[in-house]
Amino acid sequence: MSKAKRLLRQIPKVFPQLSDNFKIQLPDEPNSDSGGFFDDTPDNQTSPTLIDVYDPILPADGNTLNLLLNPGGNVVTYAYQWFSKKEYPMKTLVFYHGMSLVVNRIDPYVIAGFSIYYLNDRSDDKHGVSSKNI
């Protein structure tokens, strides 16, 4: 096994030392008419389901946004990285220290048993979602 693979397998062992409490809201089913998330309109009586999470969530380099180059040359900005051993879908909302963030890229590290979720500030008009301000 290569050194890189051994190092990747060690990362989940430090999760408890780096973890913090926050809440997430999963996107609705894709055939929903609520734009991907629960909304608070009178005809939708279901409250958004918030899930308590205890995982590492780290800011990008200082207060600046970091950039990732996706295949095809488009650039993704992100403000936080969330490391998790569980799988979550794109556009999952993350509520962390008064901020609303959204998953805009996922890098799974299957060999090590975790994924990195790249988060940026949530913007309803940018992401086409509607959600109650929590």
Side-chain angles (χ1 to χ4, degrees):
M1 181 184 321
S2 73
K3 278 180 123 177
K5 288 181 182 177
R6 281 195 300 268
L7 181 61
L8 275 174
R9 288 187 177 190
Q10 297 301 313
I11 290 174
K13 292 181 180 178
V14 299
F15 276 21
Q17 292 87 3
L18 300 174
S19 293
D20 200 356
N21 290 311
F22 55 97
K23 294 186 182 298
I24 65 168
Q25 179 184 339
L26 299 176
D28 242 350
E29 293 300 314
N31 61 357
S32 166
D33 61 355
S34 64
F37 289 90
F38 291 103
D39 61 21
D40 52 2
T41 57
D43 47 341
N44 183 357
Q45 299 300 317
T46 308
S47 298
T49 303
L50 296 179
I51 301 167
D52 289 314
V53 176
Y54 186 70
D55 278 334
I57 186 168
L58 305 170
D61 188 17
N63 291 328
T64 62
L65 291 177
N66 280 356
L67 303 174
L68 293 172
L69 187 61
N70 273 340
N74 58 338
V75 175
V76 175
T77 61
Y78 67 95
Y80 284 83
Q81 294 175 331
W82 163 27
F83 296 74
S84 184
K85 296 177 189 177
K86 295 183 180 179
E87 291 183 26
Y88 298 100
M90 289 288 290
K91 295 189 178 182
T92 296
L93 290 177
V94 176
F95 303 101
Y96 180 65
H97 290 288
M99 295 178 288
S100 294
L101 305 162
V102 65
V103 173
N104 70 342
R105 180 177 167 161
I106 303 169
D107 281 338
Y109 291 90
V110 177
I111 193 163
F114 72 95
S115 293
I116 300 175
Y117 297 87
Y118 296 93
L119 310 172
N120 65 353
D121 291 335
R122 188 183 139 248
S123 168
D124 285 343
D125 54 346
K126 185 175 182 180
H127 298 284
V129 298
S130 61
S131 176
K132 195 165 127 181
N133 189 8
I134 299 183

